[in-house]
Amino acid sequence: MRHFETAVSSVPSRRSKAVYAGSLRGDLAEVARAVHLASLHFDVTVWANGNAEVLFDRSERSPEVAPEYLAGTYGIGALPSDIESDLRVLRSERVSSAILS
């Protein structure tokens, strides 16, 4: 997690320095834990891209993301199980069976 803290907190900017948290095709519990750990330090916005990669950044500098790619915004009270649930919904809506194969 040290690498994440350094990469995200080094220079305040509106430009995203998104952090790769995992894949919608992978272990969503693991992705949720990474997001949860980051949310203990600051609010984070989580989204997926067209390659099913899950990314996050500080909420105040995350890029504008189309609603269909957005998992959510999480702060200190976010539970890993809630984050995982949101990621499962995103996976079911965004990842086709062809990508999962």
Side-chain angles (χ1 to χ4, degrees):
M1 203 59 193
R2 278 277 179 231
H3 174 68
F4 166 76
E5 291 170 323
T6 302
V8 174
S9 64
S10 59
V11 179
S13 169
R14 289 290 301 164
R15 299 178 104 181
S16 180
K17 295 182 184 228
V19 175
Y20 175 81
S23 172
L24 288 176
R25 296 182 301 245
D27 182 354
L28 295 182
E30 196 172 296
V31 175
R33 281 190 295 277
V35 170
H36 170 73
L37 289 173
S39 74
L40 295 175
H41 302 284
F42 38 78
D43 291 348
V44 294
T45 299
V46 181
W47 68 94
N49 64 19
N51 293 326
E53 296 172 325
V54 178
L55 306 165
F56 67 91
D57 199 354
R58 288 182 180 217
S59 294
E60 67 269 9
R61 68 178 182 208
S62 64
E64 288 189 31
V65 178
E68 62 268 19
Y69 289 94
L70 186 64
T73 298
Y74 307 97
I76 198 162
L79 299 173
S81 59
D82 291 342
I83 298 167
E84 182 179 354
S85 176
D86 291 346
L87 290 169
R88 288 192 186 287
V89 169
L90 184 61
R91 175 167 60 187
S92 70
E93 293 176 355
R94 299 306 316 157
V95 179
S96 72
S97 59
I99 293 176
L100 287 174
S101 303

